Amino acid sequence: MSDPTEFLVPDEDEEVPEPPDPALTTALNEIEQRCTKANLKVEKPEEYQGIFIWLQNGQQKRKLFISSLDQARGLLDQPFENFIFLGDYDAISLYDEGYIEASAFPFRSSAMFRLRQMFGMKMGETEDRVLKLIPTEESGKVEIELWSSPQKLKYMIPSFRNRRPSLIIRNTGVKRHDDAVGLLERVANAVFFELDLMYSAPLGLTRDRRPPLQMRPAGAGSAKKKTPSVPNCSYDREPISLYWYARSATGMPLLQFLAFYQSIEYYLPIYSQNEAIKKLRNLMKDPTFNIHDDGDMSRVLSAIQVSRAGGFGDERSQLRATLQACLDPDELNNFFTSHETTLQFFTKGEWKSISTQQIPLSNATADLRVNVAERIYDIRNKIVHSKSDGGGKDQFLLPFSKEAEMLDFDIALTQFVSRKVLIANSSKLQL
């Protein structure tokens, strides 16, 4: 009788999973044992060979996935249990060794070329090179080095970043996460700025990028799929240029928000003038109004106060007037309520991280246009007015900050407003 299993062969199109690598299994088991001993959380996925480990990152944890034998063995050769991730950077610290290492990325390809020249590396050469910065009296025992590629950090970051330069600080003496982050930022800003001045090689600290927020772009899904027709509307050149600039500025949240805001700002004088006319008319129609009364004339001056941009009143009131004229309250309310993640962001407290100006979505009868204008204007000020006035950093938004990374929903809101203002001010397309 023939063996029944001899006919159990997979179809040609069926994907056969690769058998586990015994050497990798052994290394992953050793990593798991060391993590268990150090009270570190581990998790092994069932679908593929690898292991997740959670390492300390200040008060939080950062997840690291290990799936290759090279990475596993590289970690086992180091005291990885003691590595502390630093903030949202691709950076680690070893307190006992006084060691900090951070990945750096060149802002443009020419910077990498100049760095290779500084390292004395020839074309195609991959051997590690190091530049040891000359110590000064002020630097004391602290040593600063710039490496052509990561050292201890190599197995803690995605492999595609392993050819980026690495900044190493030795003999730091820091024992706290926030102190380590502060020292890293001070040193990196100083070293990278001087490299840019001297060699035109701009660098920045590499960040552990969070996944993009799951959200709906402004207006997405509102139009049925159909063959587009020739447009009927034309849009003013200046604000539509700013709109497209904002749409192109992906990955730069502060710049993107400001460009959308500026496309709205273009129309502020128009609507502030209409608002000023309405105020003046109401004043003049008042039977008690007296042109010979200084108090009444002061009220007139206040109503027609002209801003530097040519609008009437301050910019905040101009923005309110523009949104009142261009936005439909029901459409604005639908923006917040038609998508679950947008609604959660503006109701669950995350909105406070960016601005204290709340959108009262719990009030079903509220006209949200004024609140939206206040929030957009407040965020605009926090981006533009980044001056050191002793008021604390909560007063402004900085590039690469956690708050800037959370701007997605407010950017979508400002984009929505920008679209409505552009539409409201469009004219007939002349062909």
Side-chain angles (χ1 to χ4, degrees):
M1 184 175 181
S2 60
D3 184 357
T5 62
E6 66 178 312
F7 300 105
L8 299 179
V9 294
D11 296 335
E12 290 185 4
D13 296 334
E14 184 179 340
E15 186 176 334
V16 180
E18 295 184 4
D21 180 352
L24 177 57
T25 299
T26 300
L28 294 178
N29 288 339
E30 188 174 345
I31 288 175
E32 183 177 17
Q33 292 171 6
R34 286 174 56 173
C35 287
T36 302
K37 187 176 180 180
N39 294 319
L40 297 176
K41 179 183 175 181
V42 297
E43 180 181 305
K44 283 187 174 179
E46 297 181 358
E47 303 83 11
Y48 39 81
Q49 193 175 18
I51 189 172
F52 291 99
I53 67 174
W54 278 259
L55 296 177
Q56 201 68 40
N57 186 6
Q59 298 295 323
Q60 302 175 338
K61 305 280 186 180
R62 190 188 297 186
K63 182 167 63 174
L64 176 67
F65 182 55
I66 304 135
S67 59
S68 72
L69 183 59
D70 181 60
Q71 182 187 18
R73 286 176 172 171
L75 285 176
L76 288 171
D77 289 339
Q78 304 183 74
F80 70 86
E81 308 95 316
N82 300 325
F83 286 158
I84 306 295
F85 279 114
L86 298 181
D88 60 349
Y89 298 113
D90 273 350
I92 56 171
S93 179
L94 274 169
Y95 295 155
D96 292 342
E97 297 183 17
Y99 181 91
I100 291 176
E101 182 177 359
S103 172
F105 73 96
F107 289 157
R108 54 176 184 259
S109 56
S110 61
M112 197 65 200
F113 175 75
R114 290 187 175 90
L115 284 173
R116 292 181 67 86
Q117 287 183 320
M118 289 166 53
F119 287 121
M121 299 176 70
K122 299 178 181 179
M123 185 68 69
E125 187 177 348
T126 58
E127 183 180 351
D128 285 348
R129 297 292 185 92
V130 60
L131 284 174
K132 295 187 177 183
L133 276 64
I134 300 173
T136 63
E137 292 184 6
E138 290 78 9
S139 62
K141 296 181 179 179
V142 175
E143 299 176 3
I144 302 173
E145 302 168 356
L146 190 64
W147 285 76
S148 58
S149 60
Q151 300 303 296
K152 294 181 186 295
L153 187 63
K154 179 178 180 180
Y155 303 104
M156 308 288 289
I157 58 177
S159 58
F160 68 88
R161 296 177 184 164
N162 279 339
R163 299 319 303 171
R164 290 181 176 178
S166 190
L167 177 69
I168 293 179
I169 312 171
R170 302 184 189 273
N171 305 321
T172 64
V174 297
K175 300 295 182 182
R176 294 177 64 251
H177 170 268
D178 291 354
D179 293 339
V181 172
L183 177 62
L184 170 62
E185 291 176 338
R186 292 194 302 274
V187 170
N189 286 332
V191 171
F192 295 164
F193 186 61
E194 293 202 5
L195 287 177
D196 188 27
L197 291 176
M198 297 169 64
Y199 304 101
S200 190
L203 295 173
L205 291 173
T206 307
R207 292 174 180 267
D208 178 52
R209 306 303 295 183
R210 61 175 176 80
L213 295 173
Q214 297 299 310
M215 59 178 296
R216 168 205 61 187
S222 60
K224 296 179 180 179
K225 292 182 179 179
K226 61 180 182 180
T227 303
S229 57
V230 176
N232 294 318
C233 297
S234 176
Y235 305 94
D236 292 318
R237 181 174 178 272
E238 293 83 355
I240 198 67
S241 296
L242 289 163
Y243 175 85
W244 288 125
Y245 185 54
R247 291 293 277 159
S248 69
T250 55
M252 295 178 283
L254 302 188
L255 183 62
Q256 193 171 32
F257 182 95
L258 270 184
F260 280 132
Y261 180 85
Q262 288 174 318
S263 71
I264 303 166
E265 185 182 32
Y266 179 86
Y267 293 104
L268 298 192
I270 296 174
Y271 293 99
S272 66
Q273 183 180 28
N274 295 340
E275 187 72 12
I277 291 173
K278 186 187 301 182
K279 289 181 179 179
L280 274 177
R281 182 177 290 118
N282 291 336
L283 283 172
M284 303 293 287
K285 288 167 64 177
D286 188 340
T288 64
F289 179 79
N290 184 356
I291 61 172
H292 302 293
D293 185 278
D294 289 345
D296 285 350
M297 296 309 296
S298 294
R299 291 162 63 194
V300 171
L301 289 174
S302 297
I304 61 173
Q305 180 184 6
V306 180
S307 69
R308 287 179 296 176
F312 292 87
D314 58 34
E315 188 168 336
R316 186 192 301 269
S317 63
Q318 292 178 43
L319 182 62
R320 285 198 299 264
T322 303
L323 268 59
Q324 290 279 4
C326 297
L327 296 186
D328 178 78
D330 292 335
E331 285 188 350
L332 183 57
N333 186 69
N334 186 62
F335 169 85
F336 292 106
T337 59
S338 62
H339 199 267
E340 185 63 28
T341 53
T342 302
L343 182 62
Q344 286 184 1
F345 177 85
F346 285 104
T347 57
K348 299 297 183 181
E350 292 180 283
W351 55 270
K352 295 179 183 177
S353 302
I354 300 168
S355 170
T356 56
Q357 296 294 331
Q358 184 178 9
I359 310 297
L361 297 173
S362 58
N363 186 350
T365 61
D367 184 348
L368 304 179
R369 291 176 294 184
V370 172
N371 304 98
V372 168
E374 293 291 334
R375 182 172 178 85
I376 289 177
Y377 186 71
D378 184 54
I379 295 172
R380 174 261 184 200
N381 284 347
K382 288 188 174 185
I383 297 173
V384 175
H385 298 161
S386 55
K387 60 184 178 181
S388 179
D389 58 2
K393 63 182 180 181
D394 290 340
Q395 292 189 351
F396 51 85
L397 290 170
L398 292 174
F400 310 117
S401 65
K402 179 182 177 182
E403 292 76 18
E405 295 293 327
M406 294 176 65
L407 265 178
D408 293 22
F409 290 100
D410 285 289
I411 289 172
L413 172 61
T414 311
Q415 179 187 343
F416 171 83
V417 174
S418 173
R419 286 180 171 180
K420 295 302 179 182
V421 173
L422 283 165
I423 292 169
N425 290 275
S426 62
S427 58
K428 184 177 177 58
L429 179 60
Q430 301 294 331
L431 297 176

